[in-house]
Amino acid sequence: MIRLRGWDPVMGMNLRNARIARHNSSAAIRLVNNKYATKEALAEVGAPTSPTLALLRSRREIASLDWDGLPDSWALKPNQSLGGNGILLAFGRRRRNWTSSSGKRISRELVADQLRRILDGDFSPRPADWAMFEPLIRAHPDLARLSHQGLPDIRVICDRDRPQLAMLRLPTRFSGGRANLHQKAIGAAVDLATGRITHALVGKVPTETHPDTGTRLIGATVPHWPEVLDAARRCAAATGLHYLGADIVVDVDRGPLILEVNARPGLQIQNVTGHGLLTATTHPWSP
């Protein structure tokens, strides 16, 4: 066991893996590794998640795709990718084609090529995968102003239906617009009771403002915070996981949406929040 901030016990990798082996069944882990199946399970318990506009299971289905039926903006995702790889985003339509966030043309040929790569398993640990079109998520303005491009998200660690720790992950220029802490996105501790940011880190360096925009982070509140926690609470019942990390975004129109459920959430949230998961689990927060 290691300790953080004086005498706060921190969960290490071995203890985390032991907890996962003890509490997360192999069936539940297989479920959350399948994004489409996870979305179906979340919908069954009334948990908010993004709908599927189109699902392709093989190359043959590319020829029958209703191109004109796709909306002006969408997200194309692999079903079982790792680390957000293989995602293609369309932000607008230009005649028969679409445009990227920078205004570059996304042709149907480019989309078809990306579909083939996804279906061939180029972004998946398996030799083949499925491809999904979803509505494009646009960040709530209260979160968009705290971020540099990209899509900020909230990670909530839960012990069954009890939230334990939460952090907001904010893209930076160095992270390439991704909410990835290992690529120097900002990790901001969020108080469970209020939804307010209490402190923030870029790597190991504390910061009170966003390094790219200068926007003050400390004291900002995550919008729809009670609904964010409610969404996180529903993940255990939907998936069968007893220890999990819920990744949640707040869409400008649809509010909180569960982006992903993790059976093996990372431990960096302890450094960001300044609280160890052993203490959080022993004394779970309750409203």
Side-chain angles (χ1 to χ4, degrees):
M1 180 189 301
I2 57 176
R3 295 181 183 274
L4 185 71
R5 289 194 171 186
W7 299 101
D8 197 6
V10 172
M11 184 187 296
M13 189 66 72
N14 290 339
L15 282 175
R16 187 207 69 163
N17 291 342
R19 172 167 292 179
I20 290 168
R22 188 166 61 249
H23 295 298
N24 290 349
S25 69
S26 57
I29 293 173
R30 285 195 300 272
L31 171 66
V32 298
N33 286 340
N34 184 316
K35 293 181 176 62
Y36 179 74
T38 301
K39 290 203 302 178
E40 295 289 288
L42 290 167
E44 286 181 8
V45 301
T49 188
S50 193
T52 302
L53 300 173
L55 178 68
L56 288 80
R57 297 178 174 88
S58 70
R59 278 189 171 220
R60 292 190 301 273
E61 297 181 3
I62 298 176
S64 59
L65 177 64
D66 181 11
W67 294 98
D68 293 328
L70 291 175
D72 292 350
S73 58
W74 43 255
L76 170 59
K77 301 180 178 180
N79 186 42
Q80 300 191 62
S81 67
L82 300 174
N85 294 319
I87 296 175
L88 180 65
L89 304 177
F91 286 78
R93 186 186 288 272
R94 185 179 297 165
R95 298 187 179 89
R96 296 176 69 253
N97 305 305
W98 293 268
T99 55
S100 70
S101 59
S102 63
K104 292 183 179 179
R105 185 171 70 101
I106 300 176
S107 67
R108 291 190 181 186
E109 292 74 21
L110 187 150
V111 179
D113 182 63
Q114 187 74 355
L115 284 168
R116 286 188 286 269
R117 293 188 64 193
I118 291 173
L119 294 165
D120 290 348
D122 284 8
F123 310 103
S124 168
R126 299 180 179 276
D129 200 359
W130 296 352
M132 297 184 296
F133 285 95
E134 296 177 353
L136 182 69
I137 296 170
R138 298 182 186 272
H140 188 285
D142 288 354
L143 293 182
R145 70 179 182 82
L146 301 179
S147 184
H148 174 74
Q149 302 176 347
L151 182 66
D153 68 11
I154 305 120
R155 162 68 59 85
V156 183
I157 300 293
C158 292
D159 179 4
R160 294 178 171 83
D161 63 351
R162 298 188 297 271
Q164 303 296 319
L165 295 175
M167 67 176 171
L168 179 63
R169 298 182 294 196
L170 300 167
T172 64
R173 180 171 59 86
F174 282 107
S175 72
R178 292 190 174 191
N180 188 321
L181 299 187
H182 297 292
Q183 296 176 334
K184 289 198 173 180
I186 296 170
V190 180
D191 178 66
L192 283 173
T194 64
R196 291 187 180 276
I197 296 175
T198 57
H199 53 277
L201 298 176
V202 182
K204 297 181 180 180
V205 180
T207 183
E208 294 190 356
T209 60
H210 195 292
D212 300 315
T213 67
T215 304
R216 183 170 175 80
L217 305 175
I218 309 305
T221 301
V222 176
H224 301 289
W225 184 242
E227 291 87 352
V228 169
L229 290 182
D230 181 68
R233 289 191 186 99
R234 293 174 183 264
C235 291
T239 64
L241 294 175
H242 289 174
Y243 177 72
L244 61 90
D247 293 345
I248 299 170
V249 295
V250 183
D251 182 78
V252 62
D253 297 316
R254 293 171 286 167
L257 299 171
I258 300 169
L259 200 62
E260 193 169 351
V261 182
N262 295 272
R264 299 183 178 88
L267 298 171
Q268 200 165 358
I269 192 171
Q270 298 175 110
N271 296 326
V272 170
T273 62
H275 294 289
L277 279 165
L278 288 180
T279 300
T281 305
T282 304
H283 305 288
W285 174 86
S286 58

